[in-house]
Amino acid sequence: DSVPSSSHLSTEVRVRRFDVLYMLPPDVTENEIITKKSPDITSEDLQLSATSNAEIQSSISNKEAEKAIEDNTSPASQKGDVVEVKGSDADRQPDEPWQDWTSRVMLGRAKMVNPPLGKRRPSTEGLTLEQYVAKHDQGWNQLLAMDSMEGWSLNREVEGTEIYTKQDPDKPFSNFKAICMLEAREGIHELVAGLSNAQNRKHWDEMFLDSEKLEEHSPYYRVNYTQIEAQSLLTSRRDLCLIGRVRWEKDGSCLMLIEDSDDPALNMGRPGFVRAKMLIGGYIIRPTEKPEIFKVTWTGCIDPGGWIPTAIANLVAWKQGITLRKYAKWAEETKQKTKK
């Protein structure tokens, strides 16, 4: 399941069930409806590709587009020949930045819009989400740099999940990276919701002890305090205080950046635990040629803290990647139980 190349994505229009259209030809706005006659498109496989904007424009007329709106062309009524981008929850407000619009729709569908919790950071005041996301370009760029396969060594493969490690000359601790293909029939927001749900982690990660949400100001950020079981009898339990942010990409991808919290008031350790730090990390979720299959990468670099020698910490760094396999297995088993 390969990810389409960037040159292919620049002219591709991809539609997923219940999802916003991410990629459009240069002179077509996100709020427009694209319709195209094609016997290959079915209600079960909503994918529309075009080799050029001119080809799309020549395939439809204004009257056909207007009729599509009047006919209420939902996925169930399309019968393979009309794709509607615009939905009741996808209406873009006047002057609404693209990042804000996409986040509002996708987090709404993922049921991740929660009441504010805790004191709001001054860095978000008076900013659109697009402006706030741009302020953290350094973190996003570091996460995207870890997406490249250059310098990574395959450590092992576990039930279809590939786990890699890499030694960064600028950090004493090894980076880890896990890659697998995950199904999300409702769209990418289903994976974002699942991977963000800290309370559900107790169902699929036996090392997870507890998690507490300390701050949340959706869609800007969320701060969680998490406790992890000791790896062995010779080590102590660990805890982390992490801040998470989400950025939506116009190629249909999603970045979930996870970093150590920089707020001293929140970042205090607790008795019986050794404070670990997430130096950099997060999830990169990308679409594939199959509409309901996504390539998920979980990557990062963790300082375990305490007295664990760096050499030992690097030997077991790959184990951080195994959590993605655990989630994938739990998610699949949950879906099978739901079907029954």
Side-chain angles (χ1 to χ4, degrees):
D1 292 326
S2 60
V3 178
S5 66
S6 57
S7 61
H8 183 53
L9 281 170
S10 65
T11 56
E12 182 180 66
V13 181
R14 183 182 297 272
V15 181
R16 298 178 191 284
R17 283 184 298 179
F18 316 116
D19 273 2
V20 178
L21 178 68
Y22 283 134
M23 200 66 180
L24 288 166
D27 53 356
V28 177
T29 67
E30 289 92 339
N31 280 341
E32 290 186 49
I33 290 178
I34 304 296
T35 57
K36 182 179 175 66
K37 301 291 181 181
S38 173
D40 298 326
I41 302 177
T42 69
S43 59
E44 294 301 320
D45 182 19
L46 301 180
Q47 178 171 302
L48 172 62
S49 295
T51 56
S52 69
N53 183 45
E55 183 178 330
I56 296 177
Q57 296 300 329
S58 64
S59 69
I60 62 173
S61 68
N62 289 334
K63 289 184 179 179
E64 286 177 314
E66 290 169 4
K67 187 176 186 301
I69 298 174
E70 293 171 359
D71 291 345
N72 186 26
T73 51
S74 64
S77 65
Q78 286 175 24
K79 299 181 181 178
D81 58 10
V82 178
V83 175
E84 182 180 352
V85 175
K86 189 173 178 182
S88 60
D89 65 343
D91 293 343
R92 188 172 178 180
Q93 304 302 314
D95 301 323
E96 185 176 18
W98 185 90
Q99 190 71 223
D100 297 62
W101 169 59
T102 307
S103 181
R104 174 173 60 81
V105 174
M106 301 305 284
L107 295 186
R109 292 173 180 180
K111 296 180 174 61
M112 291 175 62
V113 181
N114 299 312
L117 175 66
K119 183 179 179 181
R120 181 167 174 172
R121 294 186 169 212
S123 60
T124 68
E125 296 289 353
L127 296 182
T128 66
L129 178 62
E130 198 151 296
Q131 292 169 331
Y132 176 75
V133 165
K135 286 184 63 174
H136 295 278
D137 270 349
Q138 181 178 354
W140 302 117
N141 291 336
Q142 287 179 329
L143 179 60
L144 286 170
M146 299 179 79
D147 197 26
S148 168
M149 294 307 298
E150 184 178 354
W152 291 89
S153 300
L154 180 65
N155 185 286
R156 66 198 64 206
E157 182 175 345
V158 182
E159 298 178 344
T161 298
E162 297 175 346
I163 302 176
Y164 299 83
T165 55
K166 177 183 179 181
Q167 188 60 54
D168 189 328
D170 297 329
K171 295 193 288 282
F173 300 102
S174 292
N175 298 330
F176 69 88
K177 176 159 65 176
I179 302 173
C180 75
M181 299 293 175
L182 290 180
E183 181 185 57
R185 291 185 174 274
E186 292 189 3
I188 194 170
H189 61 273
E190 178 185 332
L191 291 176
V192 174
L195 293 167
S196 301
N197 192 324
Q199 291 305 316
N200 270 348
R201 187 168 175 175
K202 60 177 177 283
H203 298 301
W204 52 268
D205 186 359
E206 71 281 0
M207 303 301 292
F208 175 85
L209 291 175
D210 196 13
S211 181
E212 178 185 354
K213 185 164 44 175
L214 302 180
E215 287 184 353
E216 180 170 14
H217 290 277
S218 179
Y220 296 92
Y221 66 90
R222 179 195 295 176
V223 179
N224 270 49
Y225 169 76
T226 301
Q227 296 176 338
I228 305 295
E229 184 58 271
Q231 295 279 351
S232 72
L233 295 175
L234 301 177
T235 58
S236 301
R237 293 174 168 181
R238 258 57 183 175
D239 63 2
L240 303 98
C241 188
L242 305 173
I243 182 168
R245 303 179 179 94
V246 175
R247 187 176 91 179
W248 305 92
E249 306 288 275
K250 288 192 175 182
D251 66 355
S253 303
C254 182
L255 309 181
M256 301 169 64
L257 180 64
I258 303 172
E259 300 175 292
D260 206 58
S261 171
D262 57 1
D263 188 339
L266 299 175
N267 210 9
M268 299 176 63
R270 302 190 184 183
F273 291 86
V274 172
R275 175 55 51 92
K277 294 183 178 181
M278 173 71 88
L279 303 180
I280 185 65
Y283 295 94
I284 302 170
I285 310 174
R286 297 196 183 280
T288 69
E289 293 177 347
K290 296 182 179 180
E292 296 170 353
I293 302 298
F294 294 82
K295 178 184 177 183
V296 180
T297 300
W298 159 233
T299 185
C301 182
I302 294 181
D303 176 355
W307 295 96
I308 298 178
T310 302
I312 299 299
N314 289 341
L315 280 176
V316 297
W318 68 270
K319 290 187 176 182
Q320 302 297 333
I322 204 70
T323 57
L324 181 60
R325 177 63 249 162
K326 293 177 181 179
Y327 171 80
K329 185 176 181 180
W330 172 79
E332 181 58 32
E333 290 174 350
T334 301
K335 288 179 182 178
Q336 293 301 325
K337 290 178 182 178
T338 302
K339 289 178 182 179
K340 294 178 181 180

Short mmCIF file of all heavy atoms in Angstrom, two decimals, residues 121 201 211-215 221-226 228 239-245 257-262 266-267 275-281 298 301-302:
data_model
loop_
_atom_site.label_atom_id
_atom_site.label_comp_id
_atom_site.label_asym_id
_atom_site.label_seq_id
_atom_site.Cartn_x
_atom_site.Cartn_y
_atom_site.Cartn_z
N ARG A 121 -3.24 29.20 27.71
CA ARG A 121 -1.92 29.78 27.48
C ARG A 121 -2.02 31.10 26.72
O ARG A 121 -2.73 31.19 25.73
CB ARG A 121 -1.05 28.79 26.69
CG ARG A 121 -0.75 27.53 27.47
CD ARG A 121 0.20 26.64 26.73
NE ARG A 121 0.67 25.58 27.61
CZ ARG A 121 1.87 25.02 27.56
NH1 ARG A 121 2.72 25.41 26.63
NH2 ARG A 121 2.21 24.07 28.39
N ARG A 201 -6.33 3.77 26.55
CA ARG A 201 -5.04 3.10 26.48
C ARG A 201 -4.93 1.94 27.46
O ARG A 201 -4.22 0.97 27.22
CB ARG A 201 -3.90 4.11 26.71
CG ARG A 201 -2.53 3.51 26.50
CD ARG A 201 -1.44 4.57 26.45
NE ARG A 201 -0.12 3.98 26.35
CZ ARG A 201 1.00 4.65 26.20
NH1 ARG A 201 0.95 5.98 26.11
NH2 ARG A 201 2.17 4.04 26.16
N SER A 211 -3.88 8.17 33.51
CA SER A 211 -3.67 9.42 32.79
C SER A 211 -4.67 10.45 33.28
O SER A 211 -5.82 10.13 33.58
CB SER A 211 -3.83 9.22 31.28
OG SER A 211 -3.61 10.43 30.58
N GLU A 212 -4.22 11.68 33.38
CA GLU A 212 -5.07 12.77 33.83
C GLU A 212 -4.92 13.96 32.88
O GLU A 212 -3.80 14.38 32.57
CB GLU A 212 -4.68 13.19 35.25
CG GLU A 212 -5.48 14.37 35.79
CD GLU A 212 -4.97 14.83 37.14
OE1 GLU A 212 -4.07 14.18 37.71
OE2 GLU A 212 -5.47 15.87 37.62
N LYS A 213 -6.04 14.47 32.39
CA LYS A 213 -6.00 15.63 31.52
C LYS A 213 -5.89 16.88 32.40
O LYS A 213 -6.76 17.16 33.21
CB LYS A 213 -7.26 15.67 30.65
CG LYS A 213 -7.27 16.78 29.63
CD LYS A 213 -8.30 16.59 28.53
CE LYS A 213 -9.63 16.15 29.01
NZ LYS A 213 -10.65 16.09 27.93
N LEU A 214 -4.80 17.62 32.23
CA LEU A 214 -4.55 18.79 33.06
C LEU A 214 -5.06 20.07 32.42
O LEU A 214 -5.56 20.96 33.12
CB LEU A 214 -3.04 18.93 33.32
CG LEU A 214 -2.36 17.74 34.00
CD1 LEU A 214 -0.88 18.03 34.19
CD2 LEU A 214 -3.02 17.41 35.32
N GLU A 215 -4.91 20.17 31.12
CA GLU A 215 -5.38 21.34 30.39
C GLU A 215 -5.89 20.92 29.02
O GLU A 215 -5.37 19.98 28.42
CB GLU A 215 -4.25 22.36 30.17
CG GLU A 215 -3.81 23.13 31.39
CD GLU A 215 -2.77 24.19 31.06
OE1 GLU A 215 -2.29 24.24 29.91
OE2 GLU A 215 -2.43 24.96 31.98
N TYR A 221 -4.49 22.90 21.86
CA TYR A 221 -3.58 21.96 22.51
C TYR A 221 -4.30 21.24 23.65
O TYR A 221 -5.38 21.61 24.09
CB TYR A 221 -2.34 22.70 23.06
CG TYR A 221 -2.66 23.66 24.18
CD1 TYR A 221 -2.65 23.25 25.52
CD2 TYR A 221 -2.98 24.99 23.92
CE1 TYR A 221 -2.95 24.12 26.55
CE2 TYR A 221 -3.28 25.87 24.95
CZ TYR A 221 -3.26 25.43 26.25
OH TYR A 221 -3.57 26.30 27.27
N ARG A 222 -3.63 20.18 24.11
CA ARG A 222 -4.08 19.43 25.29
C ARG A 222 -2.86 19.00 26.07
O ARG A 222 -1.84 18.61 25.49
CB ARG A 222 -4.87 18.19 24.86
CG ARG A 222 -5.35 17.35 26.05
CD ARG A 222 -5.80 15.97 25.59
NE ARG A 222 -6.97 16.04 24.74
CZ ARG A 222 -7.52 14.97 24.15
NH1 ARG A 222 -6.95 13.78 24.30
NH2 ARG A 222 -8.58 15.10 23.41
N VAL A 223 -2.93 19.09 27.40
CA VAL A 223 -1.83 18.65 28.27
C VAL A 223 -2.31 17.47 29.11
O VAL A 223 -3.33 17.57 29.79
CB VAL A 223 -1.34 19.79 29.19
CG1 VAL A 223 -0.22 19.29 30.11
CG2 VAL A 223 -0.87 20.99 28.38
N ASN A 224 -1.56 16.37 29.05
CA ASN A 224 -1.90 15.16 29.80
C ASN A 224 -0.75 14.75 30.72
O ASN A 224 0.43 14.83 30.32
CB ASN A 224 -2.20 14.00 28.86
CG ASN A 224 -3.67 13.92 28.48
OD1 ASN A 224 -4.26 14.91 28.08
ND2 ASN A 224 -4.25 12.75 28.60
N TYR A 225 -1.11 14.30 31.91
CA TYR A 225 -0.14 13.67 32.81
C TYR A 225 -0.38 12.16 32.77
O TYR A 225 -1.51 11.70 32.94
CB TYR A 225 -0.32 14.19 34.24
CG TYR A 225 0.46 13.41 35.27
CD1 TYR A 225 1.84 13.59 35.40
CD2 TYR A 225 -0.17 12.48 36.09
CE1 TYR A 225 2.56 12.86 36.33
CE2 TYR A 225 0.54 11.75 37.03
CZ TYR A 225 1.91 11.94 37.15
OH TYR A 225 2.62 11.21 38.06
N THR A 226 0.68 11.39 32.52
CA THR A 226 0.55 9.94 32.32
C THR A 226 1.54 9.17 33.19
O THR A 226 2.69 9.60 33.35
CB THR A 226 0.78 9.58 30.83
OG1 THR A 226 -0.17 10.28 30.03
CG2 THR A 226 0.63 8.08 30.60
N ILE A 228 3.37 5.36 33.81
CA ILE A 228 3.73 4.13 33.11
C ILE A 228 4.37 3.14 34.09
O ILE A 228 5.18 3.52 34.93
CB ILE A 228 4.72 4.40 31.95
CG1 ILE A 228 4.14 5.45 31.00
CG2 ILE A 228 5.05 3.12 31.19
CD1 ILE A 228 2.89 5.02 30.28
N ASP A 239 6.68 8.66 34.90
CA ASP A 239 5.54 9.51 34.54
C ASP A 239 6.00 10.57 33.56
O ASP A 239 7.19 10.87 33.44
CB ASP A 239 4.88 10.12 35.78
CG ASP A 239 5.79 11.05 36.58
OD1 ASP A 239 6.96 11.26 36.17
OD2 ASP A 239 5.35 11.58 37.62
N LEU A 240 5.05 11.09 32.80
CA LEU A 240 5.33 12.11 31.79
C LEU A 240 4.25 13.17 31.83
O LEU A 240 3.09 12.87 32.16
CB LEU A 240 5.37 11.50 30.38
CG LEU A 240 6.35 10.37 30.09
CD1 LEU A 240 5.63 9.03 30.18
CD2 LEU A 240 6.97 10.52 28.70
N CYS A 241 4.61 14.38 31.49
CA CYS A 241 3.65 15.47 31.33
C CYS A 241 3.83 15.99 29.90
O CYS A 241 4.86 16.58 29.57
CB CYS A 241 3.90 16.58 32.34
SG CYS A 241 2.61 17.85 32.34
N LEU A 242 2.84 15.73 29.05
CA LEU A 242 2.98 15.96 27.62
C LEU A 242 1.94 16.93 27.08
O LEU A 242 0.80 16.94 27.53
CB LEU A 242 2.85 14.63 26.86
CG LEU A 242 3.80 13.51 27.30
CD1 LEU A 242 3.45 12.22 26.58
CD2 LEU A 242 5.25 13.90 27.02
N ILE A 243 2.35 17.72 26.11
CA ILE A 243 1.44 18.61 25.41
C ILE A 243 1.28 18.11 23.98
O ILE A 243 2.27 17.79 23.31
CB ILE A 243 1.92 20.08 25.45
CG1 ILE A 243 0.91 20.99 24.76
CG2 ILE A 243 3.32 20.24 24.85
CD1 ILE A 243 1.15 22.48 25.01
N GLY A 244 0.05 18.01 23.52
CA GLY A 244 -0.23 17.51 22.19
C GLY A 244 -0.92 18.56 21.33
O GLY A 244 -1.78 19.31 21.80
N ARG A 245 -0.50 18.63 20.07
CA ARG A 245 -1.11 19.54 19.09
C ARG A 245 -1.40 18.76 17.81
O ARG A 245 -0.72 17.77 17.52
CB ARG A 245 -0.19 20.72 18.80
CG ARG A 245 0.22 21.53 20.03
CD ARG A 245 1.15 22.67 19.66
NE ARG A 245 1.52 23.47 20.82
CZ ARG A 245 2.63 23.26 21.55
NH1 ARG A 245 3.45 22.27 21.22
NH2 ARG A 245 2.90 24.02 22.58
N LEU A 257 1.57 16.19 16.99
CA LEU A 257 2.84 16.49 17.63
C LEU A 257 2.73 16.33 19.14
O LEU A 257 1.82 16.88 19.76
CB LEU A 257 3.26 17.92 17.28
CG LEU A 257 4.58 18.44 17.87
CD1 LEU A 257 5.76 17.64 17.33
CD2 LEU A 257 4.75 19.93 17.55
N ILE A 258 3.67 15.58 19.73
CA ILE A 258 3.68 15.35 21.18
C ILE A 258 5.04 15.74 21.72
O ILE A 258 6.08 15.24 21.26
CB ILE A 258 3.39 13.87 21.50
CG1 ILE A 258 2.05 13.44 20.90
CG2 ILE A 258 3.39 13.64 23.01
CD1 ILE A 258 1.78 11.96 21.02
N GLU A 259 5.04 16.65 22.69
CA GLU A 259 6.29 17.12 23.28
C GLU A 259 6.15 17.21 24.79
O GLU A 259 5.05 17.22 25.32
CB GLU A 259 6.65 18.51 22.72
CG GLU A 259 6.85 18.57 21.23
CD GLU A 259 7.09 19.99 20.74
OE1 GLU A 259 6.14 20.80 20.80
OE2 GLU A 259 8.22 20.29 20.31
N ASP A 260 7.30 17.31 25.45
CA ASP A 260 7.30 17.48 26.90
C ASP A 260 6.72 18.85 27.23
O ASP A 260 7.00 19.84 26.56
CB ASP A 260 8.73 17.38 27.42
CG ASP A 260 8.78 16.93 28.86
OD1 ASP A 260 8.26 15.84 29.15
OD2 ASP A 260 9.33 17.68 29.69
N SER A 261 5.87 18.91 28.25
CA SER A 261 5.28 20.18 28.65
C SER A 261 6.36 21.11 29.20
O SER A 261 7.24 20.70 29.96
CB SER A 261 4.21 19.96 29.72
OG SER A 261 3.78 21.19 30.25
N ASP A 262 6.28 22.37 28.79
CA ASP A 262 7.28 23.36 29.24
C ASP A 262 6.74 24.25 30.35
O ASP A 262 7.35 25.27 30.69
CB ASP A 262 7.74 24.21 28.06
CG ASP A 262 6.58 24.91 27.36
OD1 ASP A 262 5.43 24.75 27.81
OD2 ASP A 262 6.82 25.61 26.36
N LEU A 266 2.86 22.66 35.77
CA LEU A 266 2.24 21.38 35.44
C LEU A 266 3.25 20.24 35.43
O LEU A 266 2.86 19.08 35.53
CB LEU A 266 1.56 21.47 34.07
CG LEU A 266 0.43 22.49 33.91
CD1 LEU A 266 -0.03 22.51 32.46
CD2 LEU A 266 -0.73 22.17 34.84
N ASN A 267 4.51 20.59 35.29
CA ASN A 267 5.53 19.58 35.03
C ASN A 267 6.23 19.07 36.28
O ASN A 267 7.39 18.68 36.24
CB ASN A 267 6.57 20.16 34.06
CG ASN A 267 7.18 19.09 33.19
OD1 ASN A 267 6.73 17.95 33.18
ND2 ASN A 267 8.22 19.45 32.46
N ARG A 275 10.53 11.04 36.52
CA ARG A 275 10.03 11.81 35.39
C ARG A 275 10.82 11.49 34.11
O ARG A 275 12.03 11.68 34.03
CB ARG A 275 10.10 13.30 35.69
CG ARG A 275 9.70 14.23 34.53
CD ARG A 275 8.32 13.93 33.96
NE ARG A 275 7.28 13.84 34.92
CZ ARG A 275 6.51 14.86 35.30
NH1 ARG A 275 6.72 16.06 34.78
NH2 ARG A 275 5.55 14.67 36.18
N ALA A 276 10.11 10.99 33.11
CA ALA A 276 10.67 10.79 31.77
C ALA A 276 10.27 11.99 30.91
O ALA A 276 9.32 12.71 31.24
CB ALA A 276 10.15 9.49 31.17
N LYS A 277 10.97 12.18 29.81
CA LYS A 277 10.69 13.32 28.93
C LYS A 277 10.59 12.87 27.48
O LYS A 277 11.43 12.10 27.01
CB LYS A 277 11.78 14.38 29.07
CG LYS A 277 11.84 15.05 30.44
CD LYS A 277 12.90 16.15 30.46
CE LYS A 277 12.92 16.86 31.82
NZ LYS A 277 13.93 17.95 31.85
N MET A 278 9.57 13.37 26.81
CA MET A 278 9.44 13.16 25.37
C MET A 278 10.17 14.32 24.70
O MET A 278 9.67 15.46 24.68
CB MET A 278 7.97 13.11 24.95
CG MET A 278 7.75 13.08 23.45
SD MET A 278 8.22 11.52 22.67
CE MET A 278 6.70 10.57 22.85
N LEU A 279 11.36 14.06 24.18
CA LEU A 279 12.15 15.12 23.57
C LEU A 279 11.50 15.60 22.27
O LEU A 279 11.52 16.79 21.96
CB LEU A 279 13.58 14.62 23.31
CG LEU A 279 14.32 14.11 24.56
CD1 LEU A 279 15.72 13.64 24.19
CD2 LEU A 279 14.37 15.18 25.64
N ILE A 280 10.97 14.68 21.52
CA ILE A 280 10.21 14.99 20.31
C ILE A 280 9.47 13.72 19.90
O ILE A 280 9.93 12.61 20.17
CB ILE A 280 11.13 15.46 19.14
CG1 ILE A 280 10.30 15.89 17.92
CG2 ILE A 280 12.11 14.35 18.77
CD1 ILE A 280 9.43 17.09 18.11
N GLY A 281 8.30 13.90 19.30
CA GLY A 281 7.59 12.70 18.87
C GLY A 281 6.19 13.00 18.39
O GLY A 281 5.75 14.16 18.37
N TRP A 298 4.36 6.11 14.17
CA TRP A 298 4.51 6.57 15.56
C TRP A 298 6.00 6.66 15.81
O TRP A 298 6.73 5.67 15.72
CB TRP A 298 3.84 5.58 16.51
CG TRP A 298 4.25 5.57 17.95
CD1 TRP A 298 4.65 4.48 18.68
CD2 TRP A 298 4.27 6.68 18.88
NE1 TRP A 298 4.92 4.83 19.97
CE2 TRP A 298 4.69 6.17 20.13
CE3 TRP A 298 3.97 8.03 18.77
CZ2 TRP A 298 4.83 6.98 21.27
CZ3 TRP A 298 4.11 8.84 19.89
CH2 TRP A 298 4.53 8.31 21.12
N CYS A 301 11.60 10.35 20.44
CA CYS A 301 12.82 10.13 21.22
C CYS A 301 12.50 10.46 22.67
O CYS A 301 12.01 11.55 22.97
CB CYS A 301 13.94 11.03 20.71
SG CYS A 301 15.51 10.78 21.57
N ILE A 302 12.76 9.49 23.55
CA ILE A 302 12.41 9.64 24.97
C ILE A 302 13.65 9.56 25.85
O ILE A 302 14.50 8.68 25.68
CB ILE A 302 11.40 8.56 25.39
CG1 ILE A 302 10.06 8.77 24.67
CG2 ILE A 302 11.19 8.57 26.90
CD1 ILE A 302 9.00 7.76 25.02
#
